[in-house]
Amino acid sequence: MGWEAIEELSLLTLQEELSALFAKEEQYASHYRSAHDVDVDDDDPTAATTDSELRRTVCQWNYDCVDYFRFDREVVFWSMNYFDRHLA
């Protein structure tokens, strides 16, 4: 997938891709919390979102790098896959 193909992607396609990544994030996050008995304080709204925000930042950074170097966007999928496995 070259730069021209990226420009032609519809907004819907990008939203579907991000939705799939966020769904994967929730799957890994819930697995991580149950596997490691992480006690999330329900009164602290920042406790549950810290990992989520970190993952979103890393995901956005991956997309920025892939777009800058004009790599195939599938690289982000594999990068986040490895990232999630490392955190699990």
Side-chain angles (χ1 to χ4, degrees):
M1 178 182 290
W3 184 251
E4 297 81 22
I6 291 172
E7 291 176 347
E8 293 176 6
L9 287 175
S10 69
L11 182 58
L12 181 60
T13 303
L14 293 175
Q15 289 173 336
E16 290 171 350
E17 192 172 337
L18 285 174
S19 293
L21 285 171
F22 291 141
K24 198 66 149 170
E25 172 187 1
E26 185 57 38
Q27 175 188 358
Y28 278 110
S30 63
H31 171 74
Y32 178 82
R33 283 192 286 274
S34 64
H36 298 287
D37 293 325
V38 174
D39 186 22
V40 177
D41 184 8
D42 293 334
D43 296 330
D44 184 9
T46 61
T49 61
T50 304
D51 289 339
S52 177
E53 289 174 5
L54 173 64
R55 188 175 188 284
R56 285 177 195 242
T57 302
V58 170
C59 185
Q60 183 61 50
W61 179 80
N62 277 320
Y63 275 111
D64 291 343
C65 290
V66 163
D67 291 343
Y68 180 81
F69 290 107
R70 298 181 180 174
F71 292 145
D72 188 339
R73 285 188 137 208
E74 186 178 3
V75 171
V76 176
F77 167 78
W78 290 110
S79 173
M80 295 308 295
N81 191 337
Y82 288 126
F83 180 78
D84 291 335
R85 285 193 212 179
H86 176 71
L87 290 180

